């Protein structure tokens, strides 16, 4: 197998980016973008941490509470029936957006919970829960779980804990100095012992988009399950999970215009139906005695207790907003701004951008180190200009260690980010070293 | 007729009380028949029904059931038990399909009384999506039991 | 120890119930209560499943998104600092409402997740996670977990699963025919082997308020940990968790005017700090290598990934709404309506109310069986009159089995419920048996 | 002076570069002194500092430290190392308390330069609650190290 990168499943560049006027229209839907901080207009470049939420999404949630709020999948009165319909329609909307079936969509609080759901369900299977059907999820000493060196802690620590609980071994695929996955190493590491391959689609620090097709092929060769962390791809690129042929995927609503408190775990239907439950309680059972319980099929098997109904409704509205904008155009815009960020930063003295160099594909973000100035001081300086960026390890300490850094500064964009904002950011960064008296 | 009355038609209320075919133990299955049994649970309410069918030469000789549930589910079990006995397996399958379509129609399909008999009275149920499972419970059980009898 | 019920920690009846005019004012804050169903005005008597949400709470959430939304506890820009302050202030508000310290409040999705958090953290402790300090949470064969026969599935199945994972035994305290806990049996069952006592404060089916003080005394005698399921008490009575002296408690926001998707786990500070984590990922660690992670102290140790920030903000606003109404008066109102329900139902032929008889203390709900009519048919009949009640096993199958029933119909009230609504419900119930032709 | 300039006063920037007391290994601890060491992590950013104090007869002979962090945290380590050496343990504890109050004051307390010396320049930090931990990091480490030295 070649180690060259194959094209992502829908190559960038086939849709035009937004015109500035279109972006201005988006911005009108996000009142917070009009606020000022420290007496200057806010320049929000932290969408990779959490995106802003448009009025229509808030309105969808408000409408739900004003007209149909009731406990779903439990009640039989009119309100409860309506609320259940709305809730399940939201699931279908997400399924459509992701190229999946409604039964393959499990609501979670966020991507982190989705990953923990998998890790705990697998360890329950390892204890014999779920019987014969769940044996394929059981791990034991000698089995291997493979992640990459660029994972967010959310896609690392749950697997460390699963390895601890089952005796399995955690291995990782290293990256190149440019922040791309080493496919030659992937090919070596993904072997007969590999049971799970958990990999991010796009890196929240490097901006790299990983070659999912190649990785899936490597995993299929050895019969390993593939989990895709789609936290940074679902908001920024068109996704078709069936076409990508992954077994599981996780994402968070708050990174794609929805409120906090809602996320999705995708799982192939026959896998979800065979997995033992994670959270247990009401609304996920058929029969309960004092001694034991029998469980509903997926997705309800994994949705214990009263669900995040209004958040699911809002998430569906967020997805409609993105669909109306056009995910291929969102990608084109983010990618254009991402390039502008890298090119601008590369022109400055004493700045080291991590991840793929200018001209190579990346999502709309750039993380960098300023020689002689700590990232938190960079962030403070920018904040004084109203520019909101994220500083720190971005929940990817092992990656930073690999890069020889403890912290970086990250600017990230979304469909409401303007070219002017990127430029304002670049000129502010140009002044940072001078302000802190670093001259060398 | 109010919405509610169209859901709880007199025929349904009658069947829910005088339950045809109720009692698996009361009458033995005909000897020599191919038997099939199915136990179904309505997961929204926890109600259950167990159905046994006896098939001789592709014809349904007997449908017996035990169960506990709401008026709709009990009436539906009674009705299919009455309707199905004496039918060919293929014909009853077709009727079950017709009934399923009626139930899923959300009130848009007209029930054909010639085909469905008393089961036509269930057309009002289709306007209550939450109750469709009640009406289908025994019918799905019969479907599964038939498959077992023929396996 | 006597088996008589001691008084709950703040006896009912010391505050006057609301005047009807006050209830009318509350109702104006809940637009959904003005809607109609099936052409008649809605009578919402399903608040024990989920309560309605006042405009002010929706407005608090909207305000957050319009002005301060950002990732909390991670970012250092102004917006992130403001969002973090607001989020932590919400925690302090909840702590104040519950008689706890802010560090003792862990945000969860709902009560169910809180209970699962405990059960999984205890099983992680049983595997050695958390070291020596966490040994007190470790279970093994021979150890016993005690619940009651009246528990909601959420406070039953997680313990069944924990018992399965650790080899511990699950036992339960039976109830009397009147739906009260048998304290004589509790005294017999809670013994040297008991490690955890998990009990509901108020039953969501019976309406019973359990004698927490007595149960805590029994548990303390043998050194067992006490978990209180406060789902049905926190919305309806003043709570002081420190005064009740329980070790843990769980509750759900959606039952007390907050949106869905937010709940609280309370844990005594030194216990939470000693417990191993449950969900792992970002924002709950100090140092992460590819091999292992070290964890923050509570509560952040238990809050992995991006949190339910706007929901927490809304929950705090809901709690302020309740505080303004006065929790002692909320209790008085619910208790008055609860009595009216039981008395009215007891007067009807062929109706069996479960739980304490009229005149004995209960929260604002009543569940009952109608002789000859299945609960779902009762519910359907009432819904036709616009009356929304809950029918089924209310996630308490073992309790229903104990009562010799498979399903009941439940009417439940809240501060916005009127006396007229209760009366409309009672007259509708009076017609049920006639409608279905039951005469005997 | 802009808000930002009041946070990053020249004294702070200078200390953050010419770090007093930096280097645990460069100079050995005085013989016969009671030693205390403390390692502190700022959990919001992951930055760390390790401080060693040497106490002789209730007087602080030496404060040495290693660490990595932002300008505020490095300057704060430098300042306390300079300020603390030669102080009595009790006096330095009192100054740490004064500094803590200043940091928590959200800009409402006036720094007393006579007491705090160069540390008075940190008063601007109190208006940035997210940075208070940076300023406190080494100071808390000294506090813990003193406790160990005296134990
Ligand atoms: C007593 C009791 N415990 C637990 C729960 C579970 O709450 P949730 O579904 O919000 O997790 C409920 C409500 O359904 C309840 O009434
Ligand atoms: C790549 C990646 N994975 C996982 C996460 C975790 O998402 P959340 O905190 O919403 O669970 C994030 C975002 O923080 C991310 O960027
Ligand atoms: S309510 Fe259970 S079958 Fe109808
Ligand atoms: S940012 Fe880490 S100590 Fe200041």
């Amino acid at each position: 197998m070649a180690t060259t990168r194959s094209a992502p499943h829908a190559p960038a560049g086939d849709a035009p980016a937004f015109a500035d006027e279109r972006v201005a229209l988006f911005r009108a839907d996000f009142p917070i973008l009009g606020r000022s901080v420290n007496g200057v207009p806010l320049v929000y470049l932290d969408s990779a941490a959490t995106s802003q939420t448009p009025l229509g999404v808030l309105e969808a949630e408000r409408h739900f509470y004003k007209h149909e709020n009731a406990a779903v999948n439990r009640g039989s009165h009119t309100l409860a029936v309506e609320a259940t319909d709305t809730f399940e329609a939201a699931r279908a909307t997400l399924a459509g957006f992701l190229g999946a079936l409604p039964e393959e969509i499990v609501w979670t609080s966020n991507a982190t919970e989705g990953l923990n759901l998998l890790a705990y369900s697998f360890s329950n299977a390892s204890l014999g829960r779920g019987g014969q059907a769940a044996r394929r999820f059981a791990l034991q000493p000698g089995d291997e779980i493979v992640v990459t060196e660029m994972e967010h802690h959310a896609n690392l620590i749950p697997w460390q804990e699963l390895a601890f609980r089952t005796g399995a071994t955690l291995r990782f695929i290293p990256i190149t100095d440019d922040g791309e996955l080493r496919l030659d190493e992937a090919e070596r590491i993904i072997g007969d012992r590999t049971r799970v391959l958990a990999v991010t689609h796009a890196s929240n620090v490097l901006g790299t988009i990983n070659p999912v097709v190649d990785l899936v092929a490597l995993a299929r060769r050895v019969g390993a399950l593939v989990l895709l962390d789609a936290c940074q791809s679902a908001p920024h690129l068109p996704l078709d999970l069936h076409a990508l042929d992954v077994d599981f995927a996780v994402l968070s609503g708050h990174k794609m215009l929805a409120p906090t408190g809602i996320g999705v775990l995708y799982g192939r239907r026959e896998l979800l139906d065979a997995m033992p439950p994670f959270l247990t309680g009401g609304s996920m059972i058929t029969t309960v005695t004092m001694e034991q319980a029998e469980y509903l099929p997926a997705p309800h098997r994994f949705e214990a207790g009263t669900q995040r109904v209004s958040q699911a409704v809002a998430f569906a509205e967020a997805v409609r907003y993105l669909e109306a904008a056009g995910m291929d155009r969102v990608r084109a815009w983010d990618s254009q701004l991402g390039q502008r960020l890298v090119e601008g930063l590369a022109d400055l003295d004493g700045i080291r951008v991590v991840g793929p160099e200018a001209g190579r594909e990346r999502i709309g973000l750039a993380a960098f180190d300023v020689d002689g100035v700590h990232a938190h001081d960079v962030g403070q300086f920018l904040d004084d200009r109203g520019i909101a960026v994220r500083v720190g390890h971005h929940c990817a300490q092992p990656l930073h260690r690999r890069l020889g850094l403890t912290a970086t500064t990250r600017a990230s964009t979304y469909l409401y980010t303007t070219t002017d904002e990127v430029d304002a950011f670049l000129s502010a960064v140009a002044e940072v070293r001078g302000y802190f008296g670093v001259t060398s | 007729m109010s919405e509610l009355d169209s859901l709880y038609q007199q025929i349904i209320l009658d069947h829910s009380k005088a339950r045809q075919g109720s009692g698996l133990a009361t009458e033995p299955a005909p000897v020599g028949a191919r038997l099939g049994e199915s136990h179904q649970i309505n997961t929204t309410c926890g109600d259950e029904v167990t159905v046994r069918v006896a098939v001789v030469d592709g014809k349904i000789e007997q449908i017996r059931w035990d169960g506990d549930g709401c008026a709709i589910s009990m009436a539906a079990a009674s009705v299919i038990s009455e309707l199905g006995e004496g039918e060919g397996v293929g014909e009853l399958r077709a009727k079950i399909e017709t009934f399923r379509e009626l139930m899923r129609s959300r009130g848009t399909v007209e029930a054909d009384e010639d085909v469905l008999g008393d089961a036509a009275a269930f057309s009002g149920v289709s306007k209550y999506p939450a109750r469709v499972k009640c009406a289908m419970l025994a019918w799905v059980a019969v479907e599964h039991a038939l498959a077992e009898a023929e396996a």
Side-chain angles (χ1 to χ4, degrees), chain B residues 128-150:
Chain B
Y128 292 86
R131 305 308 294 278
V132 168
K133 276 193 185 170
C134 304
M136 288 305 301
L137 193 65
W139 290 58
V140 167
V142 169
E143 204 173 28
H144 284 232
L146 287 176
E148 194 183 288
E150 291 192 312

Side-chain angles (χ1 to χ4, degrees), chain A residues 72 76 97 101 118 186 205 246 259 268 307 317 323 332 383-384:
Chain A
V72 302
S76 58
F97 183 77
L101 301 171
L118 290 175
V205 178
V246 294
R268 283 202 293 118
Q307 286 302 296
E317 188 62 27
E323 281 171 340
D383 186 55
D384 192 60

Side-chain angles (χ1 to χ4, degrees), chain B residues 58 64 78 101 116 128 134 136:
Chain B
R64 287 289 176 280
S78 173
E101 270 162 34
L116 289 176
Y128 292 86
C134 304
M136 288 305 301

Side-chain angles (χ1 to χ4, degrees), chain A residues 48-49 109-113 115 151-155 200 202-204 229-232 250-255 390 394-395 410:
Chain A
S109 295
N110 51 26
T112 302
E113 193 183 61
L115 289 157
E151 297 311 316
H152 188 280
H153 293 163
N155 196 25
T200 195
S203 161
N204 66 320
D229 177 351
C231 270
Q232 294 294 344
V250 293
L251 49 123
S252 282
H254 70 90
K255 293 189 195 283
R390 174 105 184 265
H394 316 301
C395 299
R410 181 187 70 189

Side-chain angles (χ1 to χ4, degrees), chain B residues 42 45-47 68-70 72-73 131 133-134 137:
Chain B
N42 181 341
C45 57
D47 289 326
D68 226 338
C70 63
I72 310 288
S73 66
R131 305 308 294 278
K133 276 193 185 170
C134 304
L137 193 65

Side-chain angles (χ1 to χ4, degrees), chain A residues 162-234:
Chain A
L162 175 61
F164 170 82
R165 289 195 296 270
T166 58
T169 303
L170 185 70
R171 302 188 62 184
F172 57 92
I173 305 170
I175 58 168
T176 66
D177 290 341
D178 277 356
E180 298 190 355
L181 268 195
R182 286 194 51 186
L183 279 181
D184 54 339
E185 286 287 327
E187 193 172 348
R188 203 179 55 76
I189 291 167
I190 301 168
D192 287 342
R193 291 164 173 269
T194 310
R195 302 291 312 286
V196 180
L197 170 65
V199 57
T200 195
H201 195 178
S203 161
N204 66 320
V205 178
L206 305 162
T208 321
I209 301 174
N210 283 320
V212 179
V213 173
D214 298 341
L215 292 165
V216 168
L218 288 175
R220 290 282 170 258
R221 211 181 46 171
V222 298
L225 295 166
V226 183
L227 170 283
L228 191 68
D229 177 351
C231 270
Q232 294 294 344
S233 58

